[in-house]
Amino acid sequence: MTSIYDFTLPDAQNRPVSFEQYRGKVLLIVNTATRCGLTPQYQELQDLYAQFHAQGLEILDFPCNQFREQAPESSEEIAQICQTRFGTEFTVFQKTKVNGPDESPLYTWLKQQKPEDKGGHAFKEMLLKLASLGEKREGSDIKWNFTKFLVNRNGEVVERFAPSVKPAEIADDLALLLS
């Protein structure tokens, strides 16, 4: 894949979603979990979506169970939990692997574009220690739930934010890309 628009992936209801429909939009792509200490970020993601969707923001939610099995529900259950608990209106995709031999080609591509997290350095070190208790993470691997990739209207990955960077902290970045 050479462009974000080349991907087609199944949503939580297993319907194919062509990323071509996002051409010209600003994307925030997030790997999430329903039982993580960072799960309250769902509310901030929804707040960003409500604030910026009309200007062209799309949030793409990829539940992931690779980090201490903090997303054990089915994809459909995760979508329902997010809608009920946090009022989310953005697209939830099928559960996805973000690291390892079975990782989603989307995440392989995203990590090639932006191999390092921005922000959250002290928290990142703590997460790396937690992650090392199980599977070892190396190089550009996603370190934890709620890593965020920001994609501009031209389909270019312009930033990768650490899990501890709250969605509200990137509102200025979004506003700039959407203006």
Side-chain angles (χ1 to χ4, degrees), residues 160-171:
R160 172 179 167 172
F161 295 99
S164 61
V165 174
K166 294 181 179 181
E169 294 176 56
I170 62 176

Side-chain angles (χ1 to χ4, degrees), residues 37-101:
L38 299 176
T39 299
Q41 286 192 22
Y42 266 120
Q43 184 60 60
E44 286 187 42
L45 289 168
Q46 177 55 36
D47 292 346
L48 286 179
Y49 188 78
Q51 181 179 357
F52 293 114
H53 178 69
Q55 297 170 45
L57 173 67
E58 293 292 342
I59 295 176
L60 310 183
D61 175 1
F62 288 88
C64 178
N65 199 34
Q66 284 187 282
F67 305 101
R68 296 196 171 245
E69 300 180 350
Q70 295 180 340
E73 303 88 357
S74 73
S75 299
E76 287 180 325
E77 290 170 325
I78 289 169
Q80 186 62 41
I81 289 167
C82 294
Q83 290 166 358
T84 303
R85 261 180 84 192
F86 302 104
T88 58
E89 298 172 312
F90 46 82
T91 303
V92 178
F93 286 82
Q94 286 286 316
K95 280 173 44 170
T96 301
K97 291 193 176 180
V98 299
N99 293 325

Side-chain angles (χ1 to χ4, degrees), residues 5 9-10 13 21 43 82 109 111-112 153:
Y5 307 119
L9 296 169
Q13 290 73 36
Q21 74 182 10
Q43 184 60 60
C82 294
W109 186 85
K111 294 186 296 186
Q112 288 170 349
R153 290 185 190 270

